Amino acid sequence: MATRTDAPTRREQILREAARLFAERGFHGVGVDEIGAAVGISGPGLYRHFAGKDAMLAELLVGISGQLLTGGRRRVAEAEGGAEGLLDSLIEGHIDFALDDRPLITLHDRELDRLRDSDRKLVRQLQRQYVELWVEVVREVYPELTEPAARSAVHSVFGLLNSTPHLGRPGALPGRTGTAELLHRMARGAFGAAGVTPGA
Amino acid sequence: MATRTDAPTRREQILREAARLFAERGFHGVGVDEIGAAVGISGPGLYRHFAGKDAMLAELLVGISGQLLTGGRRRVAEAEGGAEGLLDSLIEGHIDFALDDRPLITLHDRELDRLRDSDRKLVRQLQRQYVELWVEVVREVYPELTEPAARSAVHSVFGLLNSTPHLGRPGALPGRTGTAELLHRMARGAFGAAGVTPGA
DNA sequence: TCCACTAGTTAATGAGCGTTAACGCAACTC
DNA sequence: GAGTTGCGTTAACGCTCATTAACTAGTGGA
């Protein structure tokens, strides 16, 4: 547990820079020499830390999915109030992630197909569990939603929350907390509107 | 104008298949031989129709952005009721596009960086105009939104609407019209919630 | 009938890039 | 102080892939 605040290890440096570069120019658009240069070593030196370029992407994507799922489960376990507060907690967690790790969010649904079958299956499974976790909570807050509708709504809200990379880079927007609040309100509004049946 | 219902020309075939393949595996992940094979000719034969692989992507992305902007402007011009109805019309148009041309929607924000500077600038400009068109209408319907907030909200709603590629491929969802209605309601709900000021 | 043009073909070229080989060198251990 | 191990380096290999060259068959006027 002492590693938490230690200087980042080489592996972590590499992963961070690789994530940034992959997000900027795509997995195939980035060369190993570039990744190496970004951490001050050159090209093949990376192979002391990773089996290959694919392995970096795999570790990144599995890590993201796992982190999201773990965070979601923790929030479910720690939930005190009712489902309402829990949903707010999930939204808040997802927004924090989207705002703090934009490159990872970008990677998350862009480069999944570049993985080996086994890794891709694992990532898909983690993603599915995360979605199902949300679906349950959403249906508790909005019982009028059918399960397929709730699942669609969750995917769509993820699309909304994950739009942060498209928001102006520096700060034409109301600042971090303002953006987080705006996204939060919009997510709740979207779920609420999903619930009203159109025929009634 | 007779070309509308004619058999698709070779160029159009190629563009359609290229869009599908680029969306599935990324620009760099697809070879020209594959694109050729998808339309029944082989590899270098494509060069009778396009200057190169880059040119295909450029034409696709410029086409998408242009179509969106043109459609949006047409709706603004044809608007009869107030801003409310116009906003609904814009949302409807965007949803139609997202549902009918999923591969293009995917490409739209994934592969922009692979373009030559001039093309990228053009696409960005078209996108920006499309966003601004929405921002104006949104602010008319929700006057309490500041301009930056409205712009963020528009981007986020685009994220929501463009999430269609992530919705289950065949039809675990309520069918096309059901999905369209769900997305529409969520978009309106998101905008509405963006408008309420948190402090009040 | 000949010419020109369109739309293909296969073979060759050349660049880029992931990966491996071979080697160097501090730091730590016994 | 000799050996091992961790972490780099540069050079070379081999493959993929976009692009070009060279060539061919059909088609539609003049």
Side-chain angles (χ1 to χ4, degrees), chain A residues 9-200:
Chain A
T9 166
R10 229 330 105 88
R11 275 183 71 87
E12 288 165 352
Q13 278 184 54
I14 294 171
L15 284 176
R16 181 187 320 277
E17 294 304 308
R20 185 178 56 79
L21 290 167
F22 289 161
E24 278 174 11
R25 294 206 287 288
F27 179 68
H28 285 112
V30 178
V32 289
D33 289 354
E34 264 174 300
I35 303 173
V39 299
I41 73 181
S42 216
L46 297 169
Y47 286 73
R48 296 286 169 201
H49 304 275
F50 292 93
K53 200 180 154 193
D54 300 352
M56 299 178 208
L57 182 65
E59 189 157 330
L60 281 172
L61 292 185
V62 172
I64 301 164
S65 319
Q67 247 180 277
L68 278 174
L69 179 56
T70 303
R73 282 186 173 149
R74 182 171 44 75
R75 289 184 134 85
V76 169
E78 293 173 354
E80 297 189 344
E84 287 273 348
L86 175 52
L87 181 55
D88 282 325
S89 170
L90 286 178
I91 293 173
E92 187 187 315
H94 196 103
I95 289 176
D96 283 344
F97 188 73
L99 286 176
D100 293 336
D101 296 290
R102 292 187 183 192
L104 294 183
I105 278 291
T106 302
L107 251 51
H108 185 267
D109 60 47
R110 234 190 198 50
E111 310 280 4
L112 185 57
D113 317 310
R114 259 53 101 199
L115 260 51
R116 305 204 327 271
D117 266 25
S118 63
D119 289 324
R120 189 171 52 248
K121 266 184 189 143
L122 173 55
V123 171
R124 281 242 167 81
Q125 186 184 327
L126 293 169
Q127 288 181 343
R128 194 163 23 238
Q129 291 180 72
Y130 184 60
V131 170
E132 294 311 314
L133 185 152
W134 275 66
V135 168
E136 276 187 44
V137 178
V138 166
R139 291 199 70 194
E140 215 166 326
V141 178
Y142 304 99
E144 65 273 27
L145 278 175
T146 67
E147 190 181 311
R151 194 161 8 249
S152 292
V154 167
H155 279 291
S156 299
V157 166
F158 285 172
L160 188 153
L161 298 180
N162 294 348
S163 68
T164 51
H166 301 299
L167 307 179
R169 303 304 158 127
L173 44 163
R176 199 212 126 105
T177 68
T179 303
E181 279 170 14
L182 178 64
L183 289 172
H184 197 130
R185 274 180 284 136
M186 291 181 77
R188 283 308 289 258
F191 277 133
V196 311
T197 34

Side-chain angles (χ1 to χ4, degrees), chain B residues 8 25 33 54 58 71 91 96 119-120 126 129 138 141 151-152 198:
Chain B
R25 297 206 286 288
D33 290 355
D54 299 350
I91 293 173
D96 284 345
D119 289 324
R120 188 171 55 246
L126 293 169
Q129 291 180 71
V138 166
V141 178
R151 193 159 12 247
S152 291

